[in-house]
Amino acid sequence: MSSSNRRKVIDASGRFCYTHAMPDGFVPYEEFDHTADLGLLVRGRSWEELFANASRGMLSSMGCCPPEGSGVRKSRVRIEGLDLAHLMVRWLSEVLYLFREGWVITGLEFEQLDENVLTAKVRLAPLPQ
């Protein structure tokens, strides 16, 4: 496998690994049984797509699937982490925090996403009462 066709992704155990580039029509996330409760296998062709699919998968597992772009409020999120794995945990914690505050992300535009920093513009919609 050439290095240009390799991507670093998170595997089913939550570790980062390398895999082939994702083909068109791939499944962005899949739920699987896990001793803690539920696991998500998340895929993406880029870091941005991987982080976006992780948040969509988590929200979907909580029964929340709002239409894309239906938000009424815009916000900016900036998160720092020790590495990409820590950044993913902090990102999903932010998505969960917004959910607990009554908001769900319906649009997402990453401004920066590297080893230690994630900055994004998010569109939010209120959760149905």
Side-chain angles (χ1 to χ4, degrees), residues 29-84:
Y29 57 86
E30 295 177 65
E31 294 180 6
F32 62 91
D33 291 331
H34 189 277
T35 55
D37 186 17
L38 172 74
L40 283 176
L41 174 61
V42 181
R43 299 177 184 93
R45 289 177 289 243
S46 66
W47 289 116
E48 293 81 5
E49 191 173 46
L50 186 71
F51 275 65
N53 289 342
S55 60
R56 286 186 195 106
M58 185 176 79
L59 289 168
S60 175
S61 73
M62 297 185 314
C64 184
C65 298
E68 209 45 49
S70 64
V72 297
R73 178 178 155 202
K74 293 180 182 178
S75 186
R76 194 162 181 264
V77 174
R78 178 177 165 80
I79 300 169
E80 294 183 16
L82 302 173
D83 56 26
L84 281 166

